[in-house]
Each structure stands twice: as structure tokens, then as C-alpha cells.
Amino acid sequence: MNTYYIVRHGKTVWNTEKRTQGQKNSELTEQGVEHARQFSRKISHMHIDEVYSSDLKRAYETAKIIRPSSEIHLEKGFREINFGLWEGLTIEEIQKNYSELYSSWQTSPEEVAFIEGEKIIEAFERVKQAFWEIDSKHENKHILIVAHAMVIKLLLVGFLDAPINKIFNIVQGNLAMNVVKTKNKKATIVTMNDTSYLD
């Protein structure tokens, strides 16, 4: 059995501006850095065997703040969805310029392919493959993963064998912690979206 602490990165400038980030980067805000420090203190008493992070800067920097003395394994499979031409835009701009695609995204996300981006079903398979490959490498370990909102939502719906459109029924705040245990290639969700430790 492995135990995972799956965490979303700290708040960024684009999070504050409500812009779609995807695989483009935006710097952590002061609050994002401070919340990462709070999370670091929360888990300071816990034994963590391995640390994995998306290779996107906002996730990697969050991981470094949380576990400054640990080796951090960068995992491309945990990159955020490639939203293509939506990246850098606000929801209002997306609704105005890509209304038909946005409507499909809200109702049937599993059918969406973002313009100059990726198909959601491809992102779903990428994220699942990355997680289970990591799981196959370890046994009886406590593992921290720092990733992104949609990546974590895709993982969670996968663990639940739920339809992809259920991602919109899951909240993932910045520095939210999800605890997941795996055994025999099956996952059990213990905690979801825990931000109770944040000021």
C-alpha cells in the first residue's frame, strides 16, 4: 500500500486575475508562497519518502517550498491541461471569443479538443499513466505530489471511475490536500480538498 498526499500548487498572479493558465506559467503570489510555507509546517512531522511535481514552474516552486531538503522528481505527465488559445485569457474573454467550445467544455468536456491544445481524453490518459507508473515503482511509501487543479480533478474522477464531466463537481483550492491510498492497482480517497490549515 502507498499513501499519497496530492496537492495543488500555490496561488499565482493569474489565479488572482482569474486567467486560464494551462501550460503557460504565472508567478506565485506572496500569499501563494506563504500558504506553501504553512503546508510545509503542517506536514513537517510526517514521513515523506518521495516527492513528485509537475515540471511547470509554479508547481515545482511550490514543491521546493514545501520540501526544501528533498529531491523532487519532475513529472511531465502531471503538467496542467494544454488549453491552447485559451491560456492567458479570463473566463469572460473565453466566453466571448470561443462561446461554442466553452459551452461544449461545460457540458461534454470528454469530447473537447482545445484549439492549439490537447484533447481532454488525452490529458486524462496522460495523467492516469503518470500516476500508476509512479505507483508501480514504490511499495509502502508516503509520496507527495504537487500538481494542478485539472490534473488532480482528472485523477480523482479516475479513482472514482466517474465520468470526466464530474470534474466540475470537484473543488480544488490552491494548496488543497488530497489523501489517497493505493493497493493492488486500486485507489481509495481518504481526504479531498483539505485547506483547513490555511490562514
Side-chain angles (χ1 to χ4, degrees), residues 138-169:
H138 303 291
E139 187 173 351
N140 297 320
K141 299 295 184 183
H142 289 73
I143 300 168
L144 173 68
I145 295 175
V146 182
H148 308 271
M150 282 299 170
V151 168
I152 297 170
K153 290 180 180 187
L154 288 172
L155 281 173
L156 293 172
V157 297
F159 297 153
L160 294 169
D161 289 325
I164 290 178
N165 63 8
K166 295 302 181 183
I167 56 176
F168 298 118
N169 296 91

Coordinates of all heavy atoms in Angstrom, one line a residue, residues 138-169:
H138 N 6.9 1.9 -6.3 CA 7.0 2.0 -4.9 C 6.1 1.1 -4.2 O 5.1 0.7 -4.7 CB 6.7 3.5 -4.5 CG 7.6 4.5 -5.1 ND1 8.9 4.6 -4.9 CD2 7.3 5.4 -6.1 CE1 9.4 5.6 -5.6 NE2 8.4 6.1 -6.4
E139 N 6.5 0.7 -3.0 CA 5.7 -0.1 -2.1 C 5.8 0.4 -0.7 O 6.9 0.6 -0.2 CB 6.1 -1.6 -2.2 CG 5.2 -2.5 -1.5 CD 5.5 -4.0 -1.8 OE1 6.4 -4.3 -2.7 OE2 5.0 -4.9 -1.1
N140 N 4.6 0.6 0.0 CA 4.6 1.0 1.4 C 5.3 2.3 1.6 O 6.1 2.5 2.5 CB 5.1 -0.1 2.3 CG 4.3 -1.3 2.3 OD1 3.1 -1.3 2.2 ND2 5.0 -2.5 2.3
K141 N 5.1 3.3 0.6 CA 5.7 4.6 0.7 C 4.7 5.7 0.9 O 3.5 5.5 0.6 CB 6.5 4.9 -0.6 CG 7.6 3.9 -0.9 CD 8.7 3.9 0.2 CE 9.9 3.0 -0.2 NZ 10.9 2.9 0.8
H142 N 5.2 6.8 1.5 CA 4.4 8.0 1.6 C 4.9 9.0 0.6 O 6.1 9.4 0.6 CB 4.5 8.6 3.0 CG 3.8 7.7 4.0 ND1 4.2 6.5 4.5 CD2 2.6 7.9 4.7 CE1 3.4 6.0 5.4 NE2 2.4 6.8 5.5
I143 N 4.1 9.4 -0.3 CA 4.5 10.1 -1.5 C 3.7 11.5 -1.6 O 2.5 11.5 -1.6 CB 4.3 9.3 -2.8 CG1 5.1 8.0 -2.7 CG2 4.7 10.1 -4.0 CD1 4.8 6.9 -3.7
L144 N 4.5 12.6 -1.8 CA 3.9 13.9 -2.0 C 3.9 14.2 -3.5 O 4.9 14.0 -4.2 CB 4.7 14.9 -1.3 CG 4.3 16.4 -1.6 CD1 2.9 16.7 -1.0 CD2 5.3 17.3 -1.0
I145 N 2.8 14.6 -4.1 CA 2.7 15.0 -5.5 C 2.2 16.4 -5.5 O 1.1 16.8 -4.9 CB 1.7 14.1 -6.3 CG1 2.3 12.7 -6.4 CG2 1.5 14.7 -7.7 CD1 1.4 11.7 -7.0
V146 N 2.9 17.3 -6.2 CA 2.4 18.7 -6.4 C 2.0 18.9 -7.8 O 2.9 18.7 -8.7 CB 3.5 19.7 -6.0 CG1 2.9 21.1 -6.1 CG2 3.9 19.5 -4.5
A147 N 0.8 19.2 -8.1 CA 0.3 19.3 -9.5 C -0.7 20.5 -9.6 O -0.5 21.5 -9.0 CB -0.3 18.0 -9.9
H148 N -1.7 20.3 -10.5 CA -2.6 21.4 -10.9 C -4.0 21.0 -10.7 O -4.3 19.8 -10.6 CB -2.3 21.7 -12.4 CG -0.8 22.0 -12.6 ND1 -0.3 23.2 -12.5 CD2 0.2 21.2 -13.0 CE1 1.0 23.2 -12.8 NE2 1.3 21.9 -13.1
A149 N -4.9 22.0 -10.7 CA -6.3 21.8 -10.4 C -6.9 20.7 -11.3 O -7.5 19.7 -10.8 CB -7.1 23.1 -10.5
M150 N -6.8 20.9 -12.6 CA -7.5 19.9 -13.5 C -6.8 18.6 -13.5 O -7.4 17.5 -13.6 CB -7.5 20.5 -14.9 CG -8.6 21.5 -15.2 SD -10.2 20.9 -14.9 CE -11.2 22.4 -14.9
V151 N -5.5 18.6 -13.3 CA -4.8 17.3 -13.2 C -5.3 16.5 -12.0 O -5.6 15.3 -12.1 CB -3.2 17.5 -13.1 CG1 -2.5 16.3 -12.6 CG2 -2.7 18.1 -14.4
I152 N -5.4 17.2 -10.9 CA -5.9 16.5 -9.7 C -7.4 16.1 -9.8 O -7.8 14.9 -9.5 CB -5.7 17.4 -8.5 CG1 -4.3 17.7 -8.2 CG2 -6.4 16.8 -7.2 CD1 -4.0 18.7 -7.2
K153 N -8.2 16.9 -10.5 CA -9.6 16.5 -10.7 C -9.7 15.3 -11.6 O -10.5 14.4 -11.4 CB -10.4 17.7 -11.3 CG -10.6 18.9 -10.3 CD -11.3 20.0 -11.0 CE -11.6 21.2 -10.1 NZ -12.5 22.2 -10.7
L154 N -8.9 15.3 -12.6 CA -8.9 14.1 -13.5 C -8.4 12.8 -12.8 O -9.0 11.8 -13.0 CB -8.0 14.3 -14.7 CG -8.5 15.3 -15.8 CD1 -7.4 15.6 -16.8 CD2 -9.7 14.8 -16.4
L155 N -7.4 13.0 -11.9 CA -7.0 11.8 -11.1 C -8.2 11.3 -10.2 O -8.5 10.1 -10.2 CB -5.8 12.2 -10.2 CG -4.4 12.2 -10.9 CD1 -3.4 12.8 -9.9 CD2 -4.0 10.8 -11.3
L156 N -8.8 12.3 -9.6 CA -9.9 11.9 -8.6 C -11.1 11.2 -9.4 O -11.6 10.2 -8.9 CB -10.4 13.1 -7.9 CG -9.3 13.7 -6.9 CD1 -9.8 15.0 -6.3 CD2 -9.0 12.7 -5.8
V157 N -11.5 11.8 -10.5 CA -12.6 11.1 -11.2 C -12.2 9.7 -11.7 O -13.0 8.8 -11.8 CB -13.2 12.0 -12.4 CG1 -13.8 13.3 -11.8 CG2 -12.2 12.2 -13.5
G158 N -10.9 9.6 -12.1 CA -10.4 8.3 -12.5 C -10.4 7.3 -11.3 O -10.8 6.2 -11.5
F159 N -10.0 7.8 -10.1 CA -10.0 6.9 -8.9 C -11.5 6.4 -8.6 O -11.7 5.3 -8.2 CB -9.5 7.6 -7.7 CG -8.0 8.0 -7.8 CD1 -7.5 9.1 -7.1 CD2 -7.2 7.3 -8.6 CE1 -6.2 9.4 -7.2 CE2 -5.8 7.6 -8.7 CZ -5.3 8.7 -8.0
L160 N -12.4 7.3 -8.9 CA -13.8 7.0 -8.6 C -14.5 6.3 -9.7 O -15.7 6.0 -9.6 CB -14.6 8.3 -8.3 CG -14.1 9.1 -7.0 CD1 -14.7 10.5 -7.0 CD2 -14.6 8.3 -5.8
D161 N -13.8 6.1 -10.9 CA -14.5 5.6 -12.1 C -15.7 6.4 -12.5 O -16.7 5.8 -12.9 CB -14.9 4.1 -11.9 CG -13.7 3.2 -11.8 OD1 -12.7 3.4 -12.5 OD2 -13.7 2.2 -11.0
A162 N -15.6 7.7 -12.3 CA -16.7 8.6 -12.6 C -16.5 9.2 -14.0 O -15.3 9.2 -14.5 CB -16.7 9.7 -11.6
P163 N -17.5 9.6 -14.7 CA -17.4 10.3 -16.0 C -16.5 11.5 -15.9 O -16.5 12.2 -14.8 CB -18.8 10.7 -16.3 CG -19.7 9.8 -15.5 CD -18.9 9.6 -14.2
I164 N -15.8 11.9 -17.0 CA -14.9 13.0 -16.9 C -15.7 14.3 -16.6 O -15.1 15.2 -16.0 CB -14.2 13.1 -18.3 CG1 -13.2 12.0 -18.4 CG2 -13.5 14.5 -18.4 CD1 -12.4 12.0 -19.7
N165 N -17.0 14.4 -17.0 CA -17.7 15.7 -16.7 C -17.9 15.9 -15.3 O -18.3 17.1 -14.9 CB -19.0 15.7 -17.5 CG -20.0 14.7 -17.1 OD1 -19.8 14.0 -16.1 ND2 -21.1 14.6 -17.8
K166 N -17.6 15.0 -14.4 CA -17.7 15.2 -13.0 C -16.6 16.0 -12.4 O -16.6 16.3 -11.2 CB -17.8 13.8 -12.2 CG -19.0 13.0 -12.6 CD -20.3 13.8 -12.2 CE -21.6 13.0 -12.5 NZ -22.8 13.8 -12.3
I167 N -15.6 16.4 -13.3 CA -14.5 17.3 -12.8 C -15.1 18.6 -12.3 O -14.6 19.3 -11.4 CB -13.5 17.6 -13.9 CG1 -14.1 18.2 -15.1 CG2 -12.6 16.4 -14.2 CD1 -13.2 18.6 -16.2
F168 N -16.3 19.0 -12.8 CA -16.9 20.2 -12.4 C -17.7 20.1 -11.1 O -18.2 21.1 -10.6 CB -17.9 20.7 -13.5 CG -17.1 21.0 -14.8 CD1 -17.4 20.4 -16.0 CD2 -16.2 22.0 -14.8 CE1 -16.8 20.6 -17.1 CE2 -15.5 22.3 -16.0 CZ -15.8 21.6 -17.2
N169 N -17.7 18.9 -10.5 CA -18.3 18.7 -9.2 C -17.3 18.6 -8.1 O -17.6 18.3 -7.0 CB -19.1 17.4 -9.2 CG -20.3 17.4 -10.1 OD1 -20.2 17.1 -11.3 ND2 -21.5 17.9 -9.7

